[in-house]
Amino acid sequence: MLGFLLHKGEGRTNPNHVTGKPQKMTHLEIILFCCKALGVADGYATESALGLYTVNAIYGDTITMPCPLEVPDGLMFGKWKYEMPNGSPVFIAFRSSTKKNVQYDDVPDYKDRLSLSENYTLSIKNARISDEKRFVCMLVTEDDVSEEPTIVKVFKQPSQPEILHQANLLETEKLQMLGECVSRDSYPEGNVTWFKNGRVLQPLDDVVVINLQKIVDRTTGLFTMTSSLQYMPTKEDVNAKFSCIVTYYGPSGQKTMQSEPVVFDVHYPTEKVTIQVLPQSSTIKEGDNITLKCSGNGNPPPQEFLFYIPGETEGIRSSDTYVMTDVRRNATGEYKCSLTDKSMMDSTTITVHYLDLQLTPSGEVTKQIGEALPVSCTISSSRNATVFWIKDNTRMQTSPSFSSLQYQDAGNYVCETTLQEVEGLRKRQTLKLIVEGKPQIKMTKKTNTNKMSKTIICHVEGFPKPAVQWTVTGSGSILNKTEETKYVNGKFSSKIVIAPEENVTLTCIAENELERTVTSMNVSAINIPEYDEPEDRTDDNSEKVNDQAKLIVGIVVGLLLVALIAGVVYWLYVKKSNDAKGKSEKAAAQNFPSLPRQEKHSFFCYWCCGLYNLLLSCHPH
């Protein structure tokens, strides 16, 4: 080794090396150079304690190491070496300051990878983990050998972590392998942490078990980190997001990289059974279709259930639904469903609302005028129902009642009922009432204001509507065609205007399907005055006239009773006065046996006088 250094030293003196004339180094210089080459110079420990120049490199990139020394005057050459783990040096590059030539030592690890610039900056292409060494820059003059070490650190970012060997599903209350988080090709080695929903999973006996393995590739020196997670899930882990993060070091410090989150299918047993009625309506009515749906809160949910129907002792095995179509009121009751092993059960009550309406009579009914017709509308329902009547599309205030049918009672009647709480539950029935009657005629006449004609009116009642004809007996001209009023409530009138030259007889003939009715009226000649009969009054007016007649009769009867009482009182008063005349009058009475007859006559006279006086008191004028 010493001979090698001497040989090398002969060619390293700055001026003679350029000219090719070697100059021998002194023994002291040789010893100093050897000590520095071996890294055992006196100042090494102190230099290490004060800190070393460090170059951080990325794996695969070019390592650039400037020489930390200033180039001195009289420099002969510069060299680069690295130190083996045992401290022995390995020279790798040489550059003469005079000849400007560069020589690279035959070191296999650095073949075709080195480059030494004029300022003695060493570059190493395609950085490897094995390049992480202590390199030393040496600058040699005739008088001194200077060295300065550089520490090379190589970093390699790992691949993004991914969760492999994932479990197909997780079962509650069971510790099982969830998966492995793998991150490859890292340098230096990293660390792996598991997360659930963004929170760190800490190891816990028999619940969270984490095992981390770090494997180094002997060829590349890169690390692969594999962290396995065993986990005991609960129901709360449904839709939980599991992920892992690798922590590694780069040239700028500590960094992290996260995996894609993974959601696992968590299976757990059913703890509760629920029954539902579909569609979810507050009311169900007859004729509806309903579906019973049974569900369990387990995962996966149960696929089969037992349905219990009112009146059935055994459950009906079905899928998670049971359909009932066109339900009737007898479907009201409690419905249940359970798991097939009958371990869990739920129930619900269904009320099928109904509404029945019976109208008596109904349909088309024909009655005669004056007859009675009892009508009833009977309701049967699951709740209180609202009933109302409609006649000819107009709502009635009260229910119809027919003790004596009139023509105006005819029409189309509808009895309708609804359950307000149940949408769509409505019933109705109709009654078409026809009131028939034979034709009835009343004739009236009056002289027109011009005194030149008379109007004869034939008032007709009946249903079906009677046809009216007129006939005239005698001479006289009919001044207009027959006119008829509107047929309303079985009544109408037909009239003609006539100018009779002599007394005539007019005949009104009314005929319908029930009967033919004929009525005649004598009409005097136009020049003969006669009493005009008033036109037929309306029913309301007739009722008013009847009421007035009744009132007059009552007043007359009352007056007669008062007069009778007044006459009796007056007679008793006179009789008492006559008793005071004495016996002479008695004798006279015996001589005139006809006196009692006269007294009877006097009583009648007194009664008449009393009545007359009463009437005078009522009508003094």
Side-chain angles (χ1 to χ4, degrees):
M1 183 66 171
L2 181 59
F4 168 78
L5 290 175
L6 288 174
H7 173 72
K8 292 291 183 180
E10 289 178 356
R12 285 185 292 117
T13 58
N14 191 14
N16 295 329
H17 183 71
V18 176
T19 60
K21 296 180 179 180
Q23 181 178 358
K24 294 183 179 180
M25 297 178 64
T26 64
H27 288 88
L28 179 60
E29 290 175 344
I30 293 173
I31 294 171
L32 182 61
F33 177 81
C34 291
C35 292
K36 286 184 176 288
L38 294 175
V40 293
D42 293 340
Y44 178 78
T46 304
E47 226 173 351
S48 298
L50 295 176
L52 300 177
Y53 183 72
T54 303
V55 172
N56 293 328
I58 302 299
Y59 183 85
D61 290 352
T62 298
I63 305 173
T64 301
M65 292 181 287
C67 183
L69 297 171
E70 292 185 4
V71 179
D73 295 333
L75 178 67
M76 295 188 298
F77 61 89
K79 293 181 68 70
W80 277 89
K81 67 179 179 179
Y82 67 84
E83 298 176 351
M84 297 290 288
N86 58 6
S88 61
V90 178
F91 290 92
I92 57 176
F94 167 87
R95 186 179 185 95
S96 172
S97 64
T98 57
K99 296 183 178 180
K100 305 299 182 182
N101 65 326
V102 179
Q103 296 178 7
Y104 300 105
D105 294 89
D106 186 16
V107 180
D109 285 348
Y110 293 98
K111 184 176 178 60
D112 300 329
R113 296 174 59 209
L114 300 176
S115 175
L116 184 60
S117 66
E118 291 183 359
N119 63 355
Y120 299 96
T121 296
L122 179 66
S123 298
I124 304 175
K125 296 187 295 185
N126 191 19
R128 303 172 182 173
I129 303 302
S130 59
D131 295 332
E132 193 172 78
K133 298 183 179 73
R134 175 185 172 108
F135 290 85
V136 178
C137 176
M138 300 174 58
L139 298 180
V140 179
T141 64
E142 287 187 4
D143 301 326
D144 191 16
V145 176
S146 299
E147 292 187 355
E148 188 68 33
T150 297
I151 303 299
V152 173
K153 294 290 185 180
V154 179
F155 297 91
K156 170 67 169 66
Q157 174 180 303
S159 63
Q160 181 178 3
E162 55 182 338
I163 299 176
L164 303 178
H165 309 117
Q166 300 176 15
N168 294 328
L169 58 92
L170 301 178
E171 297 182 25
T172 58
E173 308 303 325
K174 182 179 179 181
L175 182 67
Q176 54 203 295
M177 182 65 70
L178 184 144
E180 292 180 342
C181 179
V182 179
S183 180
R184 297 180 175 86
D185 300 333
S186 173
Y187 193 86
E189 64 187 55
N191 198 15
V192 176
T193 306
W194 284 91
F195 288 81
K196 184 184 79 171
N197 292 331
R199 303 184 67 178
V200 176
L201 276 175
Q202 300 290 352
L204 182 64
D205 291 344
D206 298 328
V207 177
V208 179
V209 179
I210 299 174
N211 184 23
L212 176 62
Q213 290 183 341
K214 300 177 181 180
I215 301 175
V216 62
D217 188 320
R218 294 188 178 183
T219 302
T220 63
L222 300 177
F223 288 91
T224 295
M225 288 77 66
T226 301
S227 177
S228 63
L229 173 62
Q230 296 182 71
Y231 186 70
M232 180 183 291
T234 64
K235 284 179 59 177
E236 287 70 26
D237 292 321
V238 174
N239 299 323
K241 295 181 179 180
F242 291 85
S243 61
C244 61
I245 289 180
V246 60
T247 303
Y248 65 96
Y249 289 90
S252 59
Q254 191 179 69
K255 295 184 178 182
T256 59
M257 190 182 304
Q258 185 174 358
S259 71
E260 293 293 332
V262 178
V263 177
F264 294 90
D265 186 14
V266 180
H267 285 196
Y268 48 88
T270 296
E271 298 175 348
K272 182 180 179 181
V273 170
T274 303
I275 187 172
Q276 290 179 290
V277 180
L278 302 176
Q280 293 182 345
S281 174
S282 58
T283 55
I284 299 172
K285 62 182 181 298
E286 284 191 321
D288 285 349
N289 299 331
I290 59 176
T291 299
L292 298 177
K293 181 176 179 59
C294 199
S295 58
N297 64 346
N299 185 37
Q303 300 300 310
E304 285 190 330
F305 296 88
L306 293 177
F307 289 88
Y308 297 87
I309 311 302
E312 301 289 339
T313 56
E314 295 295 328
I316 301 174
R317 195 182 190 98
S318 178
S319 63
D320 60 346
T321 57
Y322 181 80
V323 180
M324 296 186 294
T325 59
D326 191 24
V327 295
R328 301 287 101 187
R329 65 193 65 182
N330 57 5
T332 296
E334 184 181 38
Y335 290 79
K336 302 177 182 179
C337 80
S338 71
L339 297 178
T340 53
D341 60 1
K342 303 180 181 180
S343 59
M344 299 176 191
M345 183 176 292
D346 191 26
S347 64
T348 186
T349 299
I350 293 178
T351 300
V352 180
H353 292 281
Y354 62 91
L355 180 60
D356 295 334
L357 183 149
Q358 181 63 44
L359 176 59
T360 306
S362 62
E364 185 173 312
V365 176
T366 301
K367 303 293 289 184
Q368 297 299 312
I369 189 170
E371 291 184 347
L373 177 64
V375 177
S376 65
C377 188
T378 305
I379 306 300
S380 175
S381 61
S382 56
R383 290 185 181 178
N384 293 332
T386 301
V387 182
F388 56 90
W389 282 87
I390 299 174
K391 179 186 178 184
D392 297 332
N393 298 322
T394 301
R395 187 161 179 169
M396 301 177 65
Q397 298 300 319
T398 59
S399 301
S401 177
F402 309 113
S403 59
S404 177
L405 287 169
Q406 302 299 317
Y407 291 119
Q408 60 266 29
D409 294 327
N412 293 316
Y413 292 85
V414 177
C415 179
E416 186 168 317
T417 181
T418 60
L419 285 185
Q420 295 181 353
E421 302 89 345
V422 184
E423 183 179 358
L425 193 52
R426 178 187 300 265
K427 294 291 182 67
R428 56 163 30 193
Q429 288 190 7
T430 60
L431 166 64
K432 183 178 181 180
L433 177 59
I434 300 173
V435 179
E436 293 185 340
K438 300 175 182 179
Q440 295 182 0
I441 298 175
K442 180 180 180 181
M443 297 181 68
T444 61
K445 60 183 177 179
K446 70 174 182 177
T447 302
N448 296 331
T449 55
N450 58 9
K451 306 298 182 179
M452 301 298 295
S453 61
K454 295 183 179 182
T455 299
I456 314 301
I457 301 176
C458 183
H459 303 275
V460 183
E461 292 185 12
F463 186 87
K465 180 182 178 182
V468 175
Q469 293 180 334
W470 288 88
T471 62
V472 180
T473 303
S475 62
S477 59
I478 297 178
L479 302 182
N480 70 324
K481 296 181 179 179
T482 302
E483 296 180 7
E484 288 188 359
T485 60
K486 187 177 180 181
Y487 182 65
V488 178
N489 293 330
K491 300 179 180 180
F492 71 102
S493 61
S494 175
K495 69 177 181 179
I496 61 174
V497 180
I498 189 173
E501 298 175 357
E502 59 182 14
N503 294 343
V504 296
T505 300
L506 276 77
T507 302
C508 178
I509 304 170
E511 182 177 5
N512 64 7
E513 298 171 359
L514 303 178
E515 193 174 80
R516 185 172 184 267
T517 302
V518 180
T519 301
S520 298
M521 172 179 283
N522 295 323
V523 180
S524 301
I526 193 63
N527 57 354
I528 301 175
E530 64 177 338
Y531 170 74
D532 290 340
E533 297 184 10
E535 295 184 7
D536 188 27
R537 301 180 181 180
T538 62
D539 293 340
D540 293 339
N541 291 336
S542 298
E543 291 178 359
K544 291 180 181 178
V545 170
N546 291 335
D547 292 341
Q548 291 175 358
K550 292 177 181 178
L551 179 62
I552 292 173
V553 171
I555 293 174
V556 171
V557 172
L559 290 175
L560 291 175
L561 289 175
V562 172
L564 178 60
I565 295 172
V568 171
V569 173
Y570 185 72
W571 178 75
L572 290 175
Y573 172 75
V574 173
K575 187 174 183 294
K576 184 176 181 182
S577 299
N578 291 335
D579 289 341
K581 293 180 179 181
K583 297 180 179 179
S584 59
E585 292 181 355
K586 292 182 179 179
Q590 292 177 358
N591 294 328
F592 299 98
S594 60
L595 184 58
R597 184 177 180 182
Q598 293 176 352
E599 288 180 355
K600 293 179 181 178
H601 179 69
S602 299
F603 172 76
F604 178 73
C605 292
Y606 295 152
W607 181 81
C608 290
C609 290
L611 177 59
Y612 176 73
N613 292 329
L614 180 61
L615 292 175
L616 288 178
S617 64
C618 293
H619 301 282
H621 302 292

